[in-house]
Amino acid sequence: MTDLLPAVDLDSIVKLADFEPYARERMLGPAYDYVAGGAWDEVTLRESVEAWQAYRFVPRVLTDLRSIDPSGTFLGRASALPIATAPMAAQAMAHAGAEAEMAAAAGARGIPFCLSTSSSMSLEDVADAAPDGERWFQLYVIGGFDYSRRLVERAEAAGYRAIVLTVDLPVLGRRERDLRTGFVLPPMSHMDAADAERQHRYGGLDDQRIAGLTWETLDEVRSWSSLPLVLKGILSPADAARAADAGAAAIVVSTHGGRQLDRSISSAAALAGCVDAVDGRCEVWADGGIRRGLDVLTAIALGASGVLVGRPFYWALASGGRAGVEKAIDLLRAELAIALPLLGAASISDVTRELLA
Ligand SMILES: Cc1cc2nc3c(=O)[nH]c(=O)nc-3n(C[C@H](O)[C@H](O)[C@H](O)COP(=O)(O)O)c2cc1C
């Protein structure tokens, strides 16, 4: 499909939203809908974008802006921006280079890349494509604890530096676009034949519930490696506090991009409550609907130390592979470099809740 279309002129792209029409042209219809869509009536999907836009800034003036620094930190390590790529399944549906291109782009631009359990490429091949970049492994506990433990051990051996355990997927959300198109996720690339058989037996991703992943079994997951554990998919302040108590290095306030429980509170609306509940005991990140540098700064002002960006990077990958994703990251950096001084902030650490109305 891609071969029939001319290469996208990346110079003509001025904001993240510009990538989506190109991706739509270049992807198969059911795959496009799988990525674009959400659960049930897609209320949370729509609100995830709008909720960031509902906040208003109160900028400060005459601060010292001679040097502007948009860099951030994740897990105590420097990142060129307070932005990481969200884990997203099956990136070969966007581009033949799949996760290798996404990881290489993130590495080249100095931001973390998070690989999905449901990736198109094996975690080792992705590591080879971006050996120097900060890489994390997102874990679904599927196929039982033994299989998951082996995945975590492989990720640690391949140089991934955090385990991002997704906790908002006891079962798959009701995604009606996929029901209509009959879309089925391609098999996971990490698997050997026995693993694939196990996935078949457990019915795919549904078995996080069956595996018995609970607060009580979290310690066991943590014991599989020495890597920091990040819990992704928290919206309740009580769960945020419990995650910090349980020794999580970070939480991701997330609705899974509106793909799980529709009518969930948006990340933008849930974030401040989770930040307050954690009270500095672990890092708080957020994702869902981040489309602008202004959204990034809103999340930072509410108390997040960083954000993950999902679909826009997927569309950028479909539009131009590694160069497309690099362009998307550059656009976010350019927006931050303008928005920070307009807010009266020289760096990310200057962006506090006082800058919001
Ligand atoms: C196509 C697609 C696949 C995804 N796959 C995963 C996944 O495998 N694991 C996971 O934890 N989250 C997954 N997510 C959720 C993202 O990590 C992230 O939470 C969400 O996309 C952020 O919202 P945004 O797309 O509005 O930026 C996926 C999202 C999309 C769009």
Side-chain angles (χ1 to χ4, degrees):
M1 225 181 156
T2 316
D3 297 344
L4 305 176
L5 293 167
V8 175
D9 174 13
L10 294 176
D11 290 340
S12 71
I13 291 188
V14 299
K15 59 177 182 174
L16 292 188
D18 292 346
F19 286 108
E20 180 169 353
Y22 290 116
R24 187 175 202 150
E25 279 175 352
R26 280 161 177 75
M27 288 174 64
L28 293 171
Y32 170 83
D33 271 324
Y34 165 74
V35 177
W40 276 277
D41 298 309
E42 302 187 337
V43 172
T44 299
L45 173 66
R46 284 189 295 279
E47 278 185 8
S48 70
V49 175
E50 293 163 4
W52 297 114
Q53 297 172 352
Y55 285 94
R56 294 293 173 265
F57 295 113
V58 184
R60 303 300 303 268
V61 297
L62 294 178
T63 54
D64 183 353
L65 300 171
R66 282 172 295 180
S67 130
I68 300 296
D69 177 11
S71 67
T73 60
F74 286 97
L75 302 170
R77 289 188 284 274
S79 169
L81 300 169
I83 297 169
T85 70
M88 286 179 290
Q91 295 179 16
M93 298 189 313
H95 190 276
E99 289 85 4
E101 299 264 316
M102 181 85 81
R109 290 300 187 261
I111 69 168
F113 163 82
C114 188
L115 183 71
S116 164
T117 290
S118 308
S119 59
S120 302
M121 297 176 64
S122 80
L123 63 90
E124 289 85 2
D125 287 347
V126 177
D128 287 345
D132 303 326
E134 170 88 4
R135 281 174 283 105
W136 309 327
F137 183 73
Q138 177 268 326
L139 180 67
Y140 286 131
V141 175
I142 53 174
F145 275 37
D146 284 348
Y147 175 64
S148 300
R149 180 175 42 72
R150 277 189 287 130
L151 274 183
V152 168
E153 288 168 358
R154 281 170 57 189
E156 184 169 29
Y160 291 78
R161 298 179 80 181
I163 299 301
V164 177
L165 177 69
T166 299
V167 293
D168 61 5
L169 203 138
V171 297
L172 202 66
R174 184 173 171 85
R175 303 180 188 170
E176 295 183 352
R177 297 200 205 200
D178 299 346
L179 293 176
R180 220 167 255 128
T181 62
F183 176 85
V184 181
L185 203 61
M188 288 163 37
S189 55
H190 310 298
M191 293 187 154
D192 58 22
D195 294 333
E197 155 62 19
R198 198 175 301 110
Q199 185 192 23
H200 180 70
R201 189 152 28 94
Y202 277 95
L205 292 175
D206 282 5
D207 69 327
Q208 288 226 121
R209 175 180 60 90
I210 296 165
L213 180 65
T214 64
W215 290 111
E216 284 68 37
T217 51
L218 202 58
D219 266 352
E220 190 178 339
V221 176
R222 206 143 59 107
S223 75
W224 295 338
S225 78
S226 62
L227 299 174
L229 186 67
V230 178
L231 299 190
K232 173 174 180 286
I234 285 180
L235 292 168
S236 145
D239 282 347
R242 185 139 190 198
D245 290 343
I251 61 168
V252 189
V253 175
S254 174
T255 65
H256 210 108
R259 300 162 74 80
Q260 287 297 97
L261 182 65
D262 197 25
R263 306 189 197 177
S264 290
I265 185 174
S266 67
S267 305
L271 180 54
C274 290
V275 167
D276 294 346
V278 161
D279 197 20
R281 286 175 296 154
C282 71
E283 294 182 17
V284 179
W285 310 341
D287 78 9
I290 301 275
R291 302 292 178 265
R292 289 291 201 176
L294 297 181
D295 303 328
V296 178
L297 294 180
T298 302
I300 301 289
L302 290 167
S305 58
V307 301
L308 313 186
V309 172
R311 292 179 186 84
F313 287 165
Y314 207 104
W315 305 140
L317 182 69
S319 303
R322 171 180 169 165
V325 179
E326 289 178 358
K327 171 80 189 207
I329 299 167
D330 291 345
L331 287 174
L332 286 170
R333 183 194 293 103
E335 290 189 27
L336 290 181
I338 294 174
L340 279 169
L342 289 176
L343 268 177
S347 70
I348 293 300
S349 60
D350 293 338
V351 179
T352 60
R353 235 178 252 182
E354 288 74 57
L355 295 178
L356 292 175

